[in-house]
Each structure stands twice: as C-alpha cells, then as structure tokens.
Amino acid sequence: MNIREVATKSFDDQKPGTSGLRKKVPVFQQPGYAENFIQSIFDALDGFAGTTLVIGGDGRFYNREVIQTAIRMAAANGFTTIIVGRGGILSTPAASHMIRHYGAFGGIILSASHNPGGPTEDFGIKYNISNGGPAPEKITDAIYARSKTIDRYLTIETPDIDLDQDGETQVGDAVVRIIDPVADYAALMETLFDFEAIRALIGGGFRIAFDAMSAVTGPYATEILERRLGAPAGTVRNGTPLPDFGGHHPDPNLVHAKDLYDEMMSADAPDFGAASDGDGDRNLIIGKGIFVTPSDSLAMLAANAHFAPGYAKGLAGIARSMPTSCAADRVAEQLGLPLFETPTGWKFFGNLLDAGKATICGEESAGTGSDHVREKDGLWAVLLWLNILAARGESVHAIAEAHWRRFGRNYYARHDYEGVDSARADALMADLRNHLPTLRGTAIGALRIEAADDFAYHDPIDGSESRNQGIRILFEGGSRIVFRLSGTGTSGATIRVYIERYEPADGDLGRETGDAIADLIVAAEELAGIARHTGRAKPDVIT
Ligand code: VG1
Ligand code: CO
C-alpha cells in the first residue's frame, strides 16, 4: 500500500458554520485546503479503523475532484469500506439514510446546499456521524481546533476511481463501492407513504409540478414521482443535476423559484407545486393559488402526519428551530405533544430524534424532516403532502384554511440583508444585545414587549449549552421578531430578520402577509436601526 504523509500548512479560516465548511471554489482549490479539512475531520474522530464511510455530494462544480481526494484520504486513514453514490451524487437526506442503512461510522457530504455553484461560486464539506446526522458542535469545534494546527495529511497513491460504474475497487486496504444513489432512498420512501393512494390520486388527473432546480433531486424525483408514482413525463423540471445549476441559485424560495410560483398562481395551475434545493434537503410547497410558508407546512404536516402509514400511530413530539414560526407550537398544544425549540441548523435535532422525543422537525428556511433520517428531507416533505392530499381528498387551499380555522394563523416572513459588511452587521447585533435588558415592558406603537433575550439552548439529552443563537423580541399576544446572522454565507454577512404575527382562530385569517406584519416591520427597524447600521433601505430577499 502506498500511503503517503504529505506535509501541509494550516489555514485559519476552516471554522464550520451552520452546516459544514462553505467557501468559494477558488478557496477550496488552494493546494491542501480540502485535504486539510478532511484530515482535520478524521483527526477529530476516534475508533473508525476498519469501518465504513459514505461519500457523496450534490454534483456541483469541484464535486468529482474532492470525491477522489476524500476516497484516497479515507483509505489512507484506515476506513476499509467506502461507499460512494454513482457519479459522486448523493442528496443530503439520501446520504443520511445510507449511513444508517449500511451501519457506517459516518459520511462526508460535499455540498453548499442552496448556494450557487460554478468555478467562482460556492463549495462545501460537512461531516455526518453514525446516526446519519450532521456532527454536533462538540465535533465541529474539535475539527476547527485541529485545522488550526494541522501539519500533515494522509493519502494514498492510486489512479482515479471510475465514479460512473457501479462496482467495487480495492484501494489499499479499503474496498470502494460505487452504488446507485437513488434505490435505497426510494425504497425507504415506500415504507413511509401510501404509494398506491398517491398513484390513484395522480391517475385521477391530479397535476404536479416539481422543480429540481438543476440540482441533486432530479434523479430522485424522476424515479419516485414519474416512475414509481406514475406522474407524466415532464412533471419533474430541470431534472438533470448541473455543476452550475444552470447558472441559478438552487434555492427553493419565492425569489429563485419565481417561475414555479407564477405558474401556481395562474388560472390553469397544476394542483400541487414543489421545488427542492442544491442538495435536496429543502422543500418549497405551493398549492394551486396558495403559497404555504415553510413554518405553516411544518405545522400542517405535523397535524396530518397520521394519514401516512409511517406515522399512523402518531407523533412523539415536534421540534422546530427558534426562528421558525410558532404555528407548530399550536399544533403540539392541541394534540398534547411536547414541543422543542432548538437553535438554527439540523444538527440540533439529532439528539431529540435519537432519543425518540421528537418525530417531526422543521425550520422556517424550507427544511422539514422526521426520524426516518437525521437530515431535513425535501422529497419526503413533498411525499407526505401528497399522501395527505390523497387521503383527505381536499386541495392544499382547503387544508390550509381549515388548519388556520382550527389553530389560528402565524403570519410570517423573513427579511434578509445580504452581503453586508461584517463589522457593520456585528455592530448592529451588539447594539441590540446591549439594549436587551431595557426592552421588557416597553412599547413600540401598539406593540408591547413581553420579553427579550439572546436565545441559548440547553440540550435536554446531552446537557450541552449553545449560546448567542439569535435575539428574540417577544410581544404580548404571540407576535415576535428575531434577529440573527447567517452561518452559511461565503462573502460578508447576511442579517436575517424573522417577523411573525399571531392571529387567533377566530380572527382575520385571510390577510396579505405584508399587511398583517406591517407594524412589526416598522418595529424591527426601530429596534435594530437596520438602515442606520447598513445603509440599506429594504431587504434583498423576502421569503
Ligand atoms: C440556513 C438556514 C438554516 C439551515 C441552514 C442549512 O442557515 O437559515 O435554517 O439549517 O441554512 O440549510 P443560516 O445560518 O444561513 O441562517 V442548507 O439546505 O443550506 O444545508
Ligand atoms: Co440544503
């Protein structure tokens, strides 16, 4: 075996963010950059000699190169089985499933998710542990610490593996297995949902439009929606993963999936529209004539999950990230279920899912998932919606309205200020933090502040503490504003302002969101001085 120890110089910017390390491609292309981070992952782990590692990515530019690097390094470091999705492709939820299904020690997922791809765009690497979920902070902190002192990495001299042929190749002491990225995942979906009922719905003329955004869900959605569920060819649009996602942001929101939105609002709209992001863990849900906010979708899925066979016996609990609207809380309350509020990022759900405390989890950023894997799962959410629609025989619109009449409505929007100078964004947050102690009991217009804090999470399972997870301003009556800085961007800072207004079930449930939260938008500006700090009069993206 030709294991080589290669001397390297450490980089000081390899701190994983909300979901792994994300940087521009040219940063990753620096000699040793990807190698250092991958070796830092291995150096932060213990006891993996002789075990299995899963490797795959979302197909973006530079994916294949780093997959070859990761295979060599995994073999040199002592993994003896390396499972790779054919073509280097694995959606994030499919990778999570594979880790669990094959009893792997962990997995390396190459993705920058919804960020654009291409030679000058974004790339990313993240590590998932044996439960299939993103590494918890304890591990990501150890990886970062190691990356600052690393001076060598291990690799092995071997020709490139043919990623496009299923089969096994010996690399040193390791067997590299190239396998179908879709089959195991599609089989898992068949165990959770009533495919026959969905097939009958579609056979009866129910029309679906799914936009894979030239990203990783193309092959998954084509197999499941068109081949297994019988939707007509063309149901899946932009179904071929492209290294640059066709030049678009593979971000399924109302800005980047505007064509789908416009179509769903047109007179001849299909019955159900959906889209997923670069790595397949997010979902956008639009019914004919109605956009369902991700926070509402979480609540509606939780309230109706029992219609799907995989959840027929009910839920153990619901978990949501802190900035996600409290719509799910109303469902938990009425169904008598525990509700957990975690910091942003899927890694915080892992312990709750492993402990059987939560069955369904979600984030306002279009992420929903369950205990079937340990990542959010875009197609899973689409299939659960389809299963519910098939079982109830009602439209998305009817289901949403009935939901609000039962639970009340949380009008919700997120305002993003992108590419802000980091020092200015930090100053805005610091100012807000300084004012926190004085806010309680004060009023802005008709809004009275009931509580204000910097969110800290105490993990009920392992006792770990995560501080400074976002500033919450809670108003009497259930309205909220949350401020936090993004942890997934690759240039400057992104300020996220999450705005929510609660309307009880007997209130006005049919308003335009913009009107319903107008006073809170004014209050957010007053509280944070966004224009003063950033020079921006309005957000770049509203979702
Ligand atoms: C964003 C979202 C967060 C999500 C994360 C990763 O993080 O807000 O909810 O978990 O992206 O999703 P941030 O720190 O930029 O707000 V993905 O689909 O990019 O892996
Ligand atoms: Co994603």
Side-chain angles (χ1 to χ4, degrees), residues 432 436 439 444 448-453 470-475 479-483 498 500 520 527:
L432 260 173
L436 278 178
L439 289 177
I444 305 172
R448 184 166 290 278
I449 298 177
E450 190 174 76
D453 67 3
I471 289 177
R472 301 192 290 187
I473 315 289
L474 312 175
F475 298 94
S479 296
R480 303 191 309 168
I481 304 173
V482 173
F483 300 88
Y498 310 80
E500 169 178 2
L520 287 151
L527 281 161

Side-chain angles (χ1 to χ4, degrees), residues 105-185:
F105 188 88
I108 289 183
I109 302 178
L110 308 178
S111 168
S113 192
H114 59 288
N115 298 9
T120 57
E121 297 294 352
D122 291 4
F123 192 76
I125 304 182
K126 77 171 180 173
Y127 178 70
N128 281 30
I129 59 175
S130 63
N131 73 355
E137 281 188 326
K138 196 169 73 163
I139 295 180
T140 55
D141 288 349
I143 295 170
Y144 178 47
R146 178 61 187 147
S147 75
K148 289 190 283 194
T149 61
I150 191 166
D151 57 4
R152 63 94 185 89
Y153 64 84
L154 303 181
T155 185
I156 196 164
E157 271 165 32
T158 181
D160 274 359
I161 300 282
D162 181 354
L163 298 176
D164 299 306
Q165 290 300 326
D166 289 6
E168 301 194 346
T169 314
Q170 193 77 31
V171 173
D173 288 341
V175 174
V176 180
R177 284 177 58 203
I178 307 291
I179 68 174
D180 183 334
V182 176
D184 291 320
Y185 175 83

